[in-house]
Amino acid sequence: MAKAKITPRLVFHVAVICLGALQFGYHLSELNAPEAYISCQIKYRDEYMFGTNALVDCIPMDANKIGLVNSIFSVGGFVGATLGGRGADKFGRRGLTMINCIGFIIGPAIMSVSTNFGLLMLGRLFAGFGAGASLIVTPMYLNEISPPTITGMIGAMTQEFVNIGILSAQIFGIFLSTFTGWRIILSIGGMIGFANLILIQFCVESPKWLTLRNRAHDARVSLVKLRGLTDGPEVGEELMEIDMLIESWKDQSTMETIKVVITHTSGSSSDSTLSEVADDADSVAQITPELITEQVDAIKKDTSLSVINSSEEGTLRSVETNSPRDFYKISYKEFLVSPSYRRPMICVIGILTAQQLCGINTMIFYGVTILSGLFPNGAVLVNVLISLLNCLVNLGVAPFVDRVGRRPLLLSSIGGMCISAFCLAFGILYSVTVLSGIAATVFVAFFSVGLGPIPFLIVPELTEASSVGVAQSTGFVCNWFSVFFIAYLFPILNEAIGGYVFFILSGIALFYFLLTFKFVPETKGKKTFEEVWGYSVTPMADL
């Protein structure tokens, strides 16, 4: 196998698609530093500040409303995540990214001119929708454009850009947390969304998505561009690897077509041989390979044909005479209730809820509030330094995802968060400032070791091609529900029981450590569902 190259074009594609993840992080943290100014907790400073400007300088909010404004972002994310899997399959990864940018533009525009609680909520809702769908499509796209030997490292960039977004919002918060500046903080998200919309036009569509729609030649052209192939002794070998990769995707597509054949013919009223056999549940074993091949060949005669034309650049382009063949996609119901998908479902939901319920967003949403009691004059700066450490640790861990594996990093991450949350609770309750500061820093650092990057990249590795979209949506719907749970309840619980809330988070982390130890397999170096789980999902399995 040729050594994977990180080409400028690949870097550009990774950076552009990850702008969606960056905006997710930015909007998560944008209210953190200026919260006291936005909510009128700091006394009105200058009644003549705006002159005749209709905009008020703050929006009165208590702890309950602050929790709602933060958590409504997750409601939008919930909707975006629910629709994102199917959207990525229907419109393509690139196409869905363009749609997401609309939410990222409209949401900040509304927030930046908000004069009341309702408008601020509406803007957060729009931004959340874009973020929810982005967290579905970004890991998919990265997984499908990455050379196999560095998939883990490239996949870790999703969380790295989330961290960069969080850090950016907090840096702006240092300089713009004022009665006038908080609106600028909220409007910057819209500028990033507009830049994302422009730059995505220069990216190729996912080669896997193209292959599954009978556009294998377009997929080959995309991969050649991403790999930066020109002339040289290794070009032939790399082209062979590209062709093998495309053939493997075609094989997946063929298997899904077989599922379609069996599903449709077994439920039809026709007198075909396959239908007659499949109608009898006790005779499924009589469905022979020859019988399936005959049915598949009949379908292929009706599918679109590809012809090759030359483009202006001298490359080859696939032109379809009919609509592309639909490939089999399982339903949400099938993913949630079928025994064949039970183990992947437990892992996907477990990992993606652990990412939030272990408590990382207590620091992202309310870090300044938590730290202000320990560092009255430097809480914002300390929060920024912790976020900077978060970025550096995640970047340092990225190469080890493919070397060490996913499972060891997840276990280390959850275990470290469990212990550090316990220490943070102790430090807050007994006013041990040094212990609290170190525990908060270690808490965030251990998140970056595993729970930060790995959930984004592991879902496609735990599921088969036909269930990736549904699995991503299901997992991230649960993830967004967890975001809402933490964002809304934490300020209420923190006000009621103080540092004891981190004892609760420590217990939750312990639960997820045991769940991960028992159920989550290692996926490093395993290319197929069968290699990961030791069994295959066949059409006959659920009949």
Side-chain angles (χ1 to χ4, degrees), residues 97 101 169 182 197 222 226 290 312 401 508 515 540:
T97 300
C101 290
W182 66 265
L197 181 61
S222 294
L226 289 166
E290 292 79 10
E312 294 178 357
V401 175
I508 292 172
L515 184 75
M540 285 71 80

Side-chain angles (χ1 to χ4, degrees), residues 5 12 27 52 164 189 191 214 222 228 231 262 266-267 311 314 337 348 354 390 430 433 435 457 461 463 465 490:
K5 294 189 300 184
F12 174 79
H27 290 299
T52 58
I164 292 171
M191 301 176 196
N214 289 338
S222 294
D231 294 323
I262 293 177
S266 64
S311 71
V337 305
V348 168
N390 191 14
Y430 293 94
T433 303
L435 176 62
L457 66 93
E461 298 176 344
T463 52
F490 179 80

Side-chain angles (χ1 to χ4, degrees), residues 266-281:
S266 64
S268 69
S269 59
S270 67
D271 295 328
S272 67
T273 306
L274 182 57
S275 179
E276 291 171 357
V277 174
D279 281 338
D280 183 359

Side-chain angles (χ1 to χ4, degrees), residues 222-407:
S222 294
L223 285 169
V224 167
K225 290 179 179 179
L226 289 166
R227 302 292 190 267
L229 301 185
T230 52
D231 294 323
E234 295 183 354
V235 170
E237 183 181 351
E238 293 193 41
L239 286 174
M240 288 180 61
E241 289 181 7
I242 286 174
D243 289 337
M244 289 173 62
L245 181 60
I246 290 174
E247 287 303 315
S248 72
W249 290 336
K250 285 183 179 179
D251 290 342
Q252 292 178 24
S253 180
T254 300
M255 289 304 299
E256 310 315 338
T257 302
I258 292 172
K259 292 181 181 182
V260 173
V261 170
I262 293 177
T263 301
H264 285 279
T265 56
S266 64
S268 69
S269 59
S270 67
D271 295 328
S272 67
T273 306
L274 182 57
S275 179
E276 291 171 357
V277 174
D279 281 338
D280 183 359
D282 296 328
S283 303
V284 170
Q286 299 177 33
I287 301 178
T288 64
E290 292 79 10
L291 196 56
I292 292 176
T293 301
E294 180 182 334
Q295 296 290 324
V296 172
D297 288 341
I299 286 181
K300 286 182 177 180
K301 291 179 181 179
D302 296 329
T303 58
S304 57
L305 301 175
S306 295
V307 294
I308 307 299
N309 291 335
S310 296
S311 71
E312 294 178 357
E313 298 178 355
T315 58
L316 295 177
R317 183 186 307 165
S318 172
V319 182
E320 295 166 307
T321 58
N322 296 309
S323 298
R325 178 184 66 198
D326 290 333
F327 65 94
Y328 179 81
K329 299 183 289 290
I330 72 166
S331 65
Y332 286 100
K333 180 180 178 181
E334 186 177 356
F335 181 72
L336 292 172
V337 305
S338 169
S340 298
Y341 297 105
R342 187 158 298 153
R343 289 170 65 189
M345 180 195 69
I346 291 172
C347 289
V348 168
I349 293 177
I351 292 171
L352 285 168
T353 53
Q355 188 185 50
Q356 302 301 333
L357 293 181
C358 286
I360 187 61
N361 277 336
T362 60
M363 299 302 299
I364 294 172
F365 283 133
Y366 307 110
V368 172
T369 302
I370 294 168
L371 296 171
S372 60
L374 303 170
F375 307 97
N377 299 319
V380 175
L381 182 59
V382 171
N383 205 42
V384 168
L385 293 176
I386 291 176
S387 296
L388 178 60
L389 177 66
N390 191 14
C391 287
L392 295 176
V393 172
N394 187 80
L395 195 60
V397 167
F400 293 96
V401 175
D402 289 312
R403 298 177 190 175
V404 177
R406 286 57 160 157
R407 179 181 158 90

Side-chain angles (χ1 to χ4, degrees), residues 147-169:
T149 55
I150 56 173
T151 299
M153 185 178 73
I154 296 296
M157 291 301 103
T158 301
Q159 182 60 34
E160 182 62 25
F161 273 76
V162 171
N163 294 339
I164 292 171
I166 293 169
L167 179 62
S168 300

